Amino acid sequence: MKRYLTVDDIGDLKQALAEAKQVKATPYAWDTLGKNKTIILIFFNSSLRTRLSTQKAAMNLGMNVIVLDVNKDGWKLETEFGVVMDGDKPEHLREAVPVIGQYCDIIAVRSFASFEDKVADYEEQILTQFIEHAGVPVISMESATRHPLQAFADLFTIEEYKKKDRPKVVLTWAPHPRALPQAVPNSFVEWMKEADVEFVVTHPKGYELAPEFSDGVKVEYDQCKAFEGADFIYAKNWASYSSYGEILSKDRAWTVDEEKMALTNEAKFMHCLPVRRNMVVSDAVIDSENSIVVQEAANRVVSAQVVIKRMLESLK
């Protein structure tokens, strides 16, 4: 494995899930695989679970880990081409990326959508420069359009908690005070399309995801109807794609509460975290026995470890 960006990069899902189960059961079985190997985790945006889980996963494999917060630990980086660099950014990503590649064996990058230019965001201009110029394998720890480590952990969590072979999984939009990227819902949709689940997306009109992700997916604009008989409810806010980056609604009627969860088949509640309580989800739901958000977060170590393990094996 030379890069990890999409569901296609993981290969056969059944095999990946079986490997995840093995990694979770015996996390230190490969603790010498990463001996004398270094991974650099590069953050253009803040992080809690992604940073800690990826660092833990690499350490489980015996790797050296370097963490770089671009906004605090290094020069401000220019990412655009053709600009006169006479401002506050003294270094270009084009030079920084190959230099970073000299110091490690794997690079993992986290960079959100800017919401300034939809084309630039969906072309993944920052992540693409790492892939093209780093000279080492690259892992996306969330990009402008996808969050594949989260989606892998989400699917593995569903696999652990499902009570029937083909559960009904619902991705529901929920209100939020800020405009959030489409990366998490995009990846979740991408992975659920490949999984053996009955999948439904529910959101207000105007919040349709990009066609490359939403094509072929059942969309139900009536949230309560979508929840009927569901086995898993995955709540997440995202800003509009068509009116790019805009907040079209803060309708609190879309908050996931006990009344809506009562429509489900005693569904498990999921969210990638952090979550805005009593806006995205009520206290009663997220604190209930059917909430598996902490277990879901714990599985972020598993998904990262499987990906890093495969990359290390490909370096041999």
Side-chain angles (χ1 to χ4, degrees):
M1 183 185 289
K2 298 299 183 183
R3 68 179 195 177
Y4 181 69
L5 315 176
T6 77
V7 68
D8 294 332
D9 295 323
I10 203 68
D12 182 83
L13 281 186
K14 289 185 178 180
Q15 183 178 343
L17 290 169
E19 190 171 351
K21 185 176 180 180
Q22 186 180 17
V23 164
K24 186 168 184 176
T26 57
Y28 305 111
W30 303 269
D31 60 356
T32 61
L33 184 61
K35 183 179 181 180
N36 297 328
K37 300 293 185 182
T38 299
I39 185 171
I40 296 182
L41 313 183
I42 301 175
F43 293 90
F44 287 83
N45 303 92
S46 58
S47 173
L48 189 154
R49 278 150 296 277
T50 297
R51 174 172 175 167
L52 297 181
S53 62
T54 310
Q55 187 168 355
K56 171 63 173 171
M59 292 169 64
N60 286 352
L61 295 165
M63 297 193 77
N64 301 312
V65 182
I66 299 172
V67 178
L68 176 65
D69 184 332
V70 171
N71 298 317
K72 297 179 181 178
D73 301 332
W75 302 108
K76 288 186 178 180
L77 296 175
E78 178 58 66
T79 60
E80 300 291 331
F81 286 99
V83 298
V84 177
M85 292 177 57
D86 59 354
D88 64 345
K89 298 176 180 177
E91 184 165 8
H92 200 284
L93 200 62
R94 180 62 183 85
E95 286 76 57
V97 169
V99 168
I100 294 169
Q102 297 296 308
Y103 304 147
C104 64
D105 302 280
I106 298 172
I107 293 176
V109 184
R110 180 179 178 94
S111 178
F112 291 173
S114 68
F115 280 149
E116 296 174 0
D117 184 333
K118 179 162 69 174
V119 173
D121 283 345
Y122 272 71
E123 287 180 350
E124 296 286 11
Q125 291 186 352
I126 291 178
L127 187 59
T128 297
Q129 291 187 60
F130 277 92
I131 294 168
E132 292 180 350
H133 305 301
V136 297
V138 174
I139 298 170
S140 169
M141 296 190 295
E142 186 169 4
S143 66
T145 65
R146 290 177 171 90
H147 197 344
L149 289 175
Q150 180 67 54
F152 186 6
D154 294 336
L155 178 57
F156 181 56
T157 304
I158 290 170
E159 186 72 12
E160 286 187 308
Y161 283 90
K162 69 181 185 181
K163 295 180 180 179
K164 58 186 180 184
D165 290 339
R166 193 168 188 269
K168 180 179 178 180
V169 179
V170 176
L171 170 64
T172 180
W173 180 91
H176 196 282
R178 296 176 55 200
L180 297 186
Q182 294 110 26
V184 169
N186 282 348
S187 268
F188 190 73
V189 168
E190 188 173 59
W191 282 67
M192 290 302 109
K193 286 167 71 173
E194 298 298 321
D196 188 16
V197 299
E198 178 188 351
F199 184 52
V200 179
V201 179
T202 183
H203 56 71
K205 290 186 177 181
Y207 280 97
E208 293 78 10
L209 296 170
E212 63 193 272
F213 297 99
S214 61
D215 281 353
V217 173
K218 180 180 178 180
V219 176
E220 173 57 66
Y221 294 104
D222 184 330
Q223 188 187 33
C224 289
K225 186 176 180 180
F227 273 44
E228 292 176 358
D231 301 292
F232 294 89
I233 298 295
Y234 195 112
K236 185 69 180 78
N237 174 268
W238 63 90
S240 174
Y241 173 78
S242 57
S243 300
Y244 193 59
E246 292 185 19
I247 298 175
L248 304 181
S249 172
K250 293 183 182 180
D251 186 358
R252 295 279 298 279
W254 281 78
T255 299
V256 179
D257 57 21
E258 289 179 289
E259 184 178 353
K260 294 192 184 76
M261 292 297 288
L263 300 170
T264 72
N265 183 29
E266 297 184 353
K268 299 296 185 183
F269 176 79
M270 302 177 68
H271 190 280
C272 62
L273 303 181
V275 66
R276 301 272 183 150
R277 283 174 173 252
N278 301 309
M279 191 149 194
V280 171
V281 58
S282 69
D283 285 333
V285 171
I286 198 169
D287 290 332
S288 73
E289 291 183 356
N290 279 343
S291 173
I292 55 173
V293 295
V294 173
Q295 297 91 326
E296 180 184 0
N299 281 335
R300 289 293 308 279
V301 176
V302 179
S303 63
Q305 188 165 338
V306 171
V307 171
I308 298 169
K309 173 178 171 288
R310 289 187 174 190
M311 284 193 169
L312 288 171
E313 290 169 342
S314 71
L315 292 175
K316 288 188 172 182

